[in-house]
Amino acid sequence: MDPSAMLPPGLPLIHCVEMHTSGEPTRIIYNGFPKLTGTLLEQRAQAQKEYSHLRRRIMLEPRGHDDMYGAILCRDTELTQSGEADMGVLFMHNEGFSTMCGHATIALGRFIVDNQFNTEILPSERSLRYDAETKTTLVRLHAPCGMVEIQVPSLGEGQRADTTRLVSFTSVKSFATGLNITIEISPEFRWPQLGQRTSVTADFSYGGAFYCLITPEELGFPAGLAEPNKSQMGFATTMLKAAANSRPELRKYFQHPDATELGFLYSIMLVERIGASSDDAQNSVGEETGLCFFANQQIDRSPTGGAVAARVALAHAQGHRNTGERWRYQSLLSRHHGGLGSFAGTIIDKGHLPAKDDGKEPISFVRVKVEGSAHYSGYHAFVSEDEDVIGRNGFSLIDMGL
C-alpha cells in the first residue's frame, strides 16, 4: 500500500530521504520543493527570500527539531548545465541556508551513487564516473561555496556504495584569515565564565564557510571538553559570536575575496588538541576534538566536515601541518563511541589565491581530503494542512525563549 494513500487527498508532498553522518542528520529533499531558478547562489537567495517558511516547516518541529539539517537537490545549476557538475545542492538549517556542509556532502555522495539510475534523482543524460582501479565513483557536487568532488567507494562496477570504506571529498580552497586575533568583549556580550577579562584570543579560518576557532580554556572553561557544559558553552559562544559580529574591525576575517555572499561568520568552534593519535589503525599523525556551534546555536553531532578543512588550513598556516599528513578529528559523540564516526583530514594540494589589491600579499590556501561515513535512517513524505496553524510553518522552542 502506498503510505501517502493514508493521508487526506490533494495535499502536496515533500519527499525526503533521511541519513546521518556520525550522528549528524541530513534530510535530503529530492522532490516537492518549489523549482528554483538562476545560478546556484541566486537559487540560494531565492530560497532564502521566498521559501524560508518551507525550510522552517521541513527543519523545525513538529517534523524536525532545532538541530535538524537538510539538503535540497538542485539538478539545474550553471555548472550542471555546463557539464562540470553532476548535481547541485542547497544546504539548510534552523536559521537559513548555509554555503557548505561536509557531513551532508558525505551523505549526498553515498545517496547519489546508490540512486544514480533513478531519473528522479540523477537526470538520464548524466552518468557518474567509475574508476575500476580504485573502485570508487566520482560525484561532482556544486555547492554554494563552489565545486566539491566526492569519491565514493563502490561495489558492482560502481552501482552502489561500499560501506566498508570511507567516503571522501576534496574541499574548496581553504585558508586561514586571522591568527591569534584579539576579540574585545564589551559589557553587553560578556558571559559569567569570562570573569574579569574584557577580551579573548581566537583564530579565523575558511573551509567553505567561516569559522571562529577557540579553545574551551580561552572561553573560560578550564576543564575543556572533558567536562562539557552544553548550556553554559552555548551561551558563551552565542555572546562571542555576537561580539565578533558587532566589531567592524573583525569583518575582514570572515570576508571571502571572491564572493560577498560567502562573507559571514557561520560558526564558533571549540577545539581541543589531544596530540598523538590514540588509534594507530587509523593511520593518523595526531587527533583533536571539537564542539561546533553553528547557525542559531545548533550543535553538530559530527566532527564537522567544513570545519575539518578550516582547521587543517589553520594548522598549515601555523606551521603545524604538512602535505600528506593525515589528522583525525573527533566530535564529542565519536569520542564517546571510542572513535567510531571520527573524520580524517589530509592536505592534498596547496597554492596561493591572487591578491585583489596592489600591495597585498596573496592568500595561501590548501585543499583538504576529508573522510567519513554516512548511513540511512529512513524516509518521509511531509504534508501541511491549511488549518494547521501551529505546524504549517514549523516552530522552535528556542525562538520562543523556552
Side-chain angles (χ1 to χ4, degrees), residues 72-349:
I72 305 168
L73 295 186
C74 300
R75 295 169 188 81
D76 296 314
T77 76
E78 68 273 28
L79 295 188
T80 64
Q81 291 169 359
S82 69
E84 298 172 71
D86 302 305
M87 182 66 69
V89 65
L90 291 180
F91 302 114
M92 62 183 184
H93 45 63
N94 67 7
E95 187 179 49
F97 294 84
S98 54
T99 56
M100 176 56 192
C101 180
H103 91 269
T105 294
I106 290 168
L108 285 163
R110 180 182 176 191
F111 174 77
I112 293 170
V113 168
D114 286 347
N115 293 278
Q116 61 187 290
F117 304 111
N118 180 348
T119 56
E120 193 175 10
I121 305 301
L122 193 69
S124 58
E125 66 272 13
R126 298 178 199 164
S127 59
L128 304 181
R129 302 176 187 176
Y130 174 70
D131 186 323
E133 183 176 347
T134 61
K135 296 183 179 180
T136 59
T137 302
L138 173 66
V139 178
R140 301 171 301 167
L141 186 68
H142 183 192
C145 63
M147 179 68 76
V148 180
E149 294 190 343
I150 315 169
Q151 295 286 350
V152 183
S154 303
L155 300 169
E157 299 297 317
Q159 295 182 17
R160 290 197 69 84
D162 177 0
T163 59
T164 66
R165 296 186 288 157
L166 298 178
V167 175
S168 67
F169 69 86
T170 302
S171 74
V172 295
K173 295 174 181 178
S174 302
F175 45 89
T177 55
L179 307 182
N180 297 317
I181 304 303
T182 298
I183 303 174
E184 299 292 338
I185 311 296
S186 54
E188 67 268 30
F189 298 123
R190 291 174 189 165
W191 55 94
Q193 292 76 19
L194 191 64
Q196 299 301 310
R197 293 183 296 151
T198 60
S199 68
V200 296
T201 301
D203 302 306
F204 292 88
S205 193
Y206 176 80
F210 283 96
Y211 296 84
C212 174
L213 306 163
I214 188 170
T215 66
E217 293 81 2
E218 181 67 14
L219 200 64
F221 296 89
L225 295 180
E227 300 178 14
N229 187 308
K230 182 179 74 171
S231 176
Q232 292 178 359
M233 288 178 170
F235 180 72
T237 54
T238 297
M239 293 295 100
L240 176 57
K241 191 174 185 179
N245 280 320
S246 74
R247 306 198 71 86
E249 69 272 18
L250 299 180
R251 292 290 303 169
K252 62 185 177 181
Y253 299 120
F254 39 98
Q255 290 289 342
H256 196 279
D258 295 325
T260 57
E261 299 94 335
L262 305 178
F264 61 93
L265 182 56
Y266 180 59
S267 166
I268 304 291
M269 187 162 200
L270 309 187
V271 292
E272 182 177 81
R273 182 168 297 170
I274 298 174
S277 178
S278 60
D279 185 354
D280 291 338
Q282 290 285 334
N283 192 29
S284 302
V285 174
E287 68 178 53
E288 62 186 49
T289 300
L291 175 59
C292 180
F293 293 87
F294 69 96
N296 188 16
Q297 291 306 99
Q298 286 189 225
I299 294 178
D300 198 335
R301 276 69 174 160
S302 83
T304 312
V308 167
R311 291 155 76 183
V312 171
L314 175 63
H316 179 262
Q318 294 169 328
H320 301 324
R321 200 67 46 84
N322 296 317
T323 302
E325 290 183 344
R326 189 173 186 268
W327 203 266
R328 192 180 186 196
Y329 292 87
Q330 302 272 19
S331 66
L332 295 184
L333 186 62
S334 71
R335 191 170 71 177
H336 177 79
H337 285 86
L340 295 175
S342 63
F343 287 179
T346 309
I347 297 174
I348 59 173
D349 187 25

